[in-house]
Structure formats: structure tokens, C-alpha cells
């Protein structure tokens, strides 16, 4: 569920909140769940890139 929240926060431009939600989701992730971990890492990259683009415009 936090994965969807992060996507929504990214689209709203609430990047710091999105990154915090990713951190929470990673902390709650059981060991060995590499598929979800990879999705969260990819979403973190998207949030970071969107934040950087927003700051440079």
C-alpha cells in the first residue's frame, strides 16, 4: 500500500514525504522480498529525479 502512496505523493510534488514513505516501506519489508524491494528502489529513483527536476526549473 505504501508503494501506491509514494506514487501519489510523487505526482503531487510532495517528494520529501514520498521518500519518507519509501523508507518506512523498506523498514517494514520482510527479509528476502527482493521483488518489492526492487520496486521501491525504482520508485525512489523516480521520486528523486522528479524532485531534482522540480528544483532546477
Amino acid at each position: 500500500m505504501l508503494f501506491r502512496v509514494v506514487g501519489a505523493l510523487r505526482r503531487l510534488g510532495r517528494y520529501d514525504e514520498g521518500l519518507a514513505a519509501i523508507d518506512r516501506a523498506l523498514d517494514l519489508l520482510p527479509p528476502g522480498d527482493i521483488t518489492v524491494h526492487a520496486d521501491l528502489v525504482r520508485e525512489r529513483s523516480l521520486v528523486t529525479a522528479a524532485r531534482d527536476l522540480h528544483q532546477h526549473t
Side-chain angles (χ1 to χ4, degrees):
M1 181 174 121
L2 282 174
F3 183 76
R4 291 183 183 184
V5 169
V6 172
L9 290 170
R10 177 174 44 85
R11 288 186 296 278
L12 290 170
R14 295 165 54 182
Y15 308 115
D16 292 334
E17 291 175 67
L19 291 173
I22 288 173
D23 290 340
R24 282 193 309 273
L26 287 170
D27 287 343
L28 297 172
L29 197 62
D33 197 345
I34 59 172
T35 303
V36 175
H37 183 270
D39 289 341
L40 290 169
V41 169
R42 188 172 27 254
E43 185 64 29
R44 176 182 274 284
S45 296
L46 290 172
V47 171
T48 303
R51 181 191 63 193
D52 291 348
L53 284 172
H54 181 75
Q55 289 175 348
H56 292 326
T57 58

